[in-house]
Amino acid sequence: MLNLGYCKGSMSTASSGGVSDQFPVGLRVLVVDDDPTCLVILEKMLRICLYEVTKCNRAEIALSLLRENRNGYDIVISDVHMPDMDGFKLLELIGLEMDLPVIMMSADDGKNVVMKGVTHGACDYLIKPIRIEALKNIWQHVVRKKKNECKDLEQSGSVEEGGDRQQKQSEDADYSSSANEGSWKNSKRRKDEEEEVDERDDTSTLKKPRVVWSVELHQQFVAAVNQLGIDKAVPKKILELMNVPGLTRENVASHLQKYRLYLRRLSGVSQHQSGMGNSFISTQEATYGSLSSLNGLDLQTLAAASQIPAQSLATLQAAGLGRSTAKPRMPMPIVDQRNLFSFENPKLRFGEGQQQHLNNGKQINLLHGIPTTMEPKQLANMHHSAQSLGSMNMQLNAHGDQSGSLLMQMSQQQSRGQILNEATSSQVPRLPSSIGQPIVNNALASGVLARNGLAESGRGTGFNPVSQSSSTMNFPLNTTAELTVTSFALGSAPGVPSLTSKGMFPEEINSEIKGPGGFIIPSYDIFSDLQHHRSHDWELQNAGMTFNGSQQSNSLQSNVDVASSVLDHQGFSSSQSNGQGRNISAVGKPMFSAGDAADHVNAQSLGQPLNNFFAENLVRVKTERVPDASLQTTLFNEQFGQEDLMSALLKQVGFRLY
Amino acid sequence: MASTPLRQQLSIMRQSLFDEGLLDHDQVSYLETLENEDDPDFIKNIFTLFLRDSTKYIDSIEKALETSPVDYPIMERMMYRLKGSSASIGASKINGETNTLRKKIHDGDMESGKASLQKLKAEHANFKDKLVVYVGMLKQAKLSEY
């Protein structure tokens, strides 16, 4: 994921920000807080520190900003409580997708909350009211992270010897730089960087500092890892198996590292949650997200036992489909089955599960019937998980043996996002048995749960309904599941605009991954669930919504993008009007088809009204698309969105190394 | 700065806000140090923002508390925001009342929570009246400088 040059480039903001000589001056900070007063005060303090500040009031906006310009920020500071997404979930997503250091802040200084920050990987935790002293040293987290990443790359070996050498030099520079904000380091690094860049051009086709792990790429990655066995998967072998031209061993190494952390966290958390030492259970929990997508039952059965006859699967599927109100009942049989499976297939352990054999033929078919459910969530929720899901589907045919493991992997990844939700909300989603409930998993979970105030109240009151509706809805297509959820929830109207811009992708994705339908389906679930919260949220969040919505779609889409189109997306902000026209039509189509598909799938069918709503929004989006700038400046006087997007774009274009 | 009558008035009012416990001296002084020539309206801006948003938050809390069933998520979010913003600008009494309210709600004591909310509203109204005057004076003082 990191170019060797990245390590240096990140420190030397000369290429990207132009102020590297005075590091940490020019540190690019993204601050996220839903309270305007706090946001203004923070921005003020950060500016005094001579940092480059981008502020936003919604987690989704932040995500889309980050996704649109992956290398445009050095560090993120986010409040724990947000209306559209739990701060911890944002934290995890950022760690997974962009690997940026994230500082959490809160008005609460309760130990539990601080601990959560630690366990979710926050590099620091600030209590409000925040003083400038606390912000003056945040650059250390940036340096530390870069240093660790470089070190990891180095340790895993390098295909390019020269790169190693230079990497070492940059590392040394890193060490000394923390002691003194020396400009000497930067100039040295810059020089090294230049040399390295030349070298890289020769040896690697990847010039971008960060490889974008597209759906296919991640699928291949996961397949390779499964083939080797998670414990034995080494970057070099994975790279060989993947056989992707231009991909470097370092890219794979850093991605593997993150993947491992993610899996570890899943199994660790699941076990804790379920209270059962059974690895199977933890796997199940991990997969609950994906399970829900496959009506939960399918995955579980698939993952659980390789011997599930197709018929049972079909039955389960049907049951799951017709679930809607049967949700509470579903868990029961699943649990039983699970237990059964666990005995039959002790090999389902996380590490070993990858080698599980499923009834490939039949299961695969069944999976195909439903696979799309998983995708939207996963893609929306997590870049990686989405990819794995996709890979699962695609690879079911190719690697029958792998299907089980892939499923599990997928679900595990999916559940990662879930875990966050779970942590903040009731325990319901955790149990594998409550597959139906799980939530919307990725997309829905983040959007819906957050909206229901799960993070805050922890009561999960809004959670249940959400999961119910969402679970049934999940099946459809990919990606945008989350996108739709959030966008819709927020709003309604203006938020949609950006959706269209990215709408294009769903279409692409559909063709690649699955099929029909639109990405809209998930929105139904969320929307229905959010209805009762709608008025509250919208009243207060009107301003931020429009911007948010648009950003959401953007970000979600970019996740799904194929690597090659990443640059296009990144430059999306500047060329919105063009893309949007196209997108709108693309978006519109899936929506309706999805709606049709969803009707029979979702017993609770919120489909129709939502469908119309969505259509309405889509149309509105089209017309409102152009004045993005105005939409963006709802809450703040500064057109931060516009400026930042433009500057991000410029940076993107001009400073690829960082 | 020359100590004009307006400035003196401003100083007196500021001190009285501290004395009454409406504003926290340390926090406000600290925020004032952040203000500089490039952004002379910083304090006015954040006070104005707070006045606007805190009113919204309190209204939302009230509404959430009145709906049945009580809209806990919204209420929690609003209380949390109020807690953070009031702490950030040094609105001590409001911050204190908000904490009390939160505790009551978390304890499940709705009746007591409602009473607490009324107290918070009263404090907030009082605070708002005074702060609006103060901000107005700040603006005037700024204008008189030019």
Side-chain angles (χ1 to χ4, degrees), chain A residues 34-37 40 44 79 81 83 106-108 129 131-132 451-452 456 459 536-537 539-541, chain B residues 27 30 34 39 42 49-50 53 57 60 63 71-74 76-78 80-81 83 85 87 89 102:
Chain A
D34 63 356
D35 177 63
T37 307
V40 168
K44 180 83 185 157
D79 190 282
H81 292 90
S106 172
D108 268 333
R131 290 284 168 116
I132 202 171
R451 286 216 203 80
N452 291 327
E456 296 151 0
R459 295 203 175 104
H536 295 294
D537 283 351
E539 274 170 17
L540 295 167
Q541 300 160 11
Chain B
Q27 185 64 18
Y30 178 73
L34 300 181
D39 184 12
F42 176 63
L49 277 174
F50 177 77
D53 295 330
Y57 297 158
S60 290
K63 210 156 139 192
D71 193 342
Y72 287 107
I74 290 293
E76 181 60 33
R77 187 182 310 152
M78 295 301 124
Y80 178 81
R81 283 194 199 171
K83 178 178 159 76
S85 55
I89 68 154
R102 274 183 98 209

Side-chain angles (χ1 to χ4, degrees), chain B residues 59-72:
Chain B
D59 285 345
S60 290
I61 293 172
E62 184 161 41
K63 210 156 139 192
L65 206 49
E66 281 167 7
T67 58
S68 77
V70 172
D71 193 342
Y72 287 107

Side-chain angles (χ1 to χ4, degrees), chain A residues 12 14 48 69 93 112 132 147 162 325 360 421 447 526 642 655:
Chain A
S12 150
I48 289 179
N69 187 352
L93 283 177
N112 293 340
I132 202 171
K147 179 168 76 90
T325 52
N360 302 332
N421 294 321
I526 297 176
Q642 194 179 27
F655 310 106

Side-chain angles (χ1 to χ4, degrees), chain A residues 195-212:
Chain A
E195 292 171 13
E196 198 169 56
V197 169
D198 295 338
E199 198 182 324
R200 295 220 90 157
D201 286 342
D202 296 337
T203 56
S204 162
T205 54
L206 287 174
K207 249 193 122 167
K208 295 181 286 198
R210 284 192 194 275
V211 169
V212 174

Side-chain angles (χ1 to χ4, degrees), chain A residues 290-402:
Chain A
S290 54
L291 285 176
S292 59
S293 34
L294 287 185
N295 293 324
L297 295 174
D298 300 325
L299 265 183
Q300 200 178 23
T301 51
L302 283 173
S306 56
Q307 271 100 39
I308 300 177
Q311 283 166 358
S312 341
L313 274 175
T315 308
L316 287 172
Q317 280 183 4
L321 284 176
R323 195 186 1 195
S324 69
T325 52
K327 182 177 60 118
R329 280 185 281 120
M330 294 312 268
M332 304 309 277
I334 294 175
V335 174
D336 297 338
Q337 288 170 349
R338 178 190 61 195
N339 291 333
L340 197 68
F341 295 148
S342 58
F343 288 126
E344 290 174 1
N345 301 296
K347 275 190 73 181
L348 280 176
R349 299 202 61 203
F350 177 76
E352 301 156 4
Q354 299 172 7
Q355 304 304 327
Q356 282 299 313
H357 293 263
L358 300 177
N359 283 339
N360 302 332
K362 291 195 180 155
Q363 288 175 351
I364 290 173
N365 292 338
L366 288 170
L367 278 179
H368 266 299
I370 312 214
T372 51
T373 54
M374 296 186 70
E375 282 191 3
K377 283 192 267 189
Q378 291 186 344
L379 285 169
N381 200 16
M382 290 188 289
H383 186 53
H384 298 305
S385 57
Q387 288 171 343
S388 63
L389 176 57
S391 64
M392 175 192 74
N393 291 317
M394 288 170 74
Q395 292 182 350
L396 280 177
N397 292 323
H399 310 284
D401 297 346
Q402 306 289 336

Side-chain angles (χ1 to χ4, degrees), chain A residues 126-427:
Chain A
L126 308 176
I127 305 294
K128 293 180 184 174
I130 294 178
R131 290 284 168 116
I132 202 171
E133 289 73 33
L135 300 173
K136 278 202 168 127
N137 292 323
I138 60 174
W139 58 266
Q140 64 175 294
H141 304 296
V142 178
V143 176
R144 193 177 296 121
K145 206 164 183 105
K146 296 292 186 305
K147 179 168 76 90
N148 292 336
E149 283 172 349
C150 286
K151 212 199 299 193
D152 289 334
L153 286 180
E154 195 182 287
Q155 284 170 356
S156 1
S158 171
V159 174
E160 299 149 30
E161 294 305 309
D164 273 338
R165 242 179 291 120
Q166 288 186 335
Q167 191 177 4
K168 257 208 161 67
Q169 288 169 359
S170 70
E171 266 191 51
D172 294 339
D174 275 343
Y175 287 113
S176 42
S177 71
S178 7
N180 87 64
E181 306 167 5
S183 52
W184 67 264
K185 155 186 73 96
N186 288 320
S187 45
K188 178 180 193 301
R189 185 175 289 121
R190 225 176 308 145
K191 177 169 154 290
D192 291 340
E193 197 181 319
E194 287 164 11
E195 292 171 13
E196 198 169 56
V197 169
D198 295 338
E199 198 182 324
R200 295 220 90 157
D201 286 342
D202 296 337
T203 56
S204 162
T205 54
L206 287 174
K207 249 193 122 167
K208 295 181 286 198
R210 284 192 194 275
V211 169
V212 174
W213 282 86
S214 67
V215 176
E216 290 98 356
L217 206 57
H218 187 69
Q219 285 172 13
Q220 288 175 279
F221 170 81
V222 173
V225 169
N226 291 339
Q227 221 175 303
L228 296 166
I230 189 71
D231 295 328
K232 299 198 193 76
V234 289
K236 191 159 175 226
K237 292 206 180 129
I238 296 174
L239 186 69
E240 284 168 18
L241 277 176
M242 285 176 72
N243 194 26
V244 170
L247 192 66
T248 69
R249 204 202 51 78
E250 292 79 24
N251 300 141
V252 174
S254 74
H255 193 73
L256 177 66
Q257 183 192 25
K258 291 194 338 184
Y259 187 64
R260 281 213 176 104
L261 280 172
Y262 164 66
L263 294 176
R264 211 177 299 148
R265 185 200 301 280
L266 281 182
S267 51
V269 180
S270 343
Q271 284 168 1
H272 174 70
Q273 288 296 341
S274 64
M276 297 157 93
N278 192 340
S279 56
F280 175 80
I281 300 298
S282 62
T283 308
Q284 287 303 309
E285 286 179 341
T287 61
Y288 84 94
S290 54
L291 285 176
S292 59
S293 34
L294 287 185
N295 293 324
L297 295 174
D298 300 325
L299 265 183
Q300 200 178 23
T301 51
L302 283 173
S306 56
Q307 271 100 39
I308 300 177
Q311 283 166 358
S312 341
L313 274 175
T315 308
L316 287 172
Q317 280 183 4
L321 284 176
R323 195 186 1 195
S324 69
T325 52
K327 182 177 60 118
R329 280 185 281 120
M330 294 312 268
M332 304 309 277
I334 294 175
V335 174
D336 297 338
Q337 288 170 349
R338 178 190 61 195
N339 291 333
L340 197 68
F341 295 148
S342 58
F343 288 126
E344 290 174 1
N345 301 296
K347 275 190 73 181
L348 280 176
R349 299 202 61 203
F350 177 76
E352 301 156 4
Q354 299 172 7
Q355 304 304 327
Q356 282 299 313
H357 293 263
L358 300 177
N359 283 339
N360 302 332
K362 291 195 180 155
Q363 288 175 351
I364 290 173
N365 292 338
L366 288 170
L367 278 179
H368 266 299
I370 312 214
T372 51
T373 54
M374 296 186 70
E375 282 191 3
K377 283 192 267 189
Q378 291 186 344
L379 285 169
N381 200 16
M382 290 188 289
H383 186 53
H384 298 305
S385 57
Q387 288 171 343
S388 63
L389 176 57
S391 64
M392 175 192 74
N393 291 317
M394 288 170 74
Q395 292 182 350
L396 280 177
N397 292 323
H399 310 284
D401 297 346
Q402 306 289 336
S403 55
S405 57
L406 282 173
L407 280 176
M408 289 170 65
Q409 297 242 336
M410 174 180 63
S411 53
Q412 279 158 358
Q413 288 170 343
Q414 199 175 18
S415 59
R416 185 163 191 239
Q418 313 276 336
I419 289 174
L420 262 179
N421 294 321
E422 187 172 2
T424 57
S425 64
S426 63
Q427 297 290 316

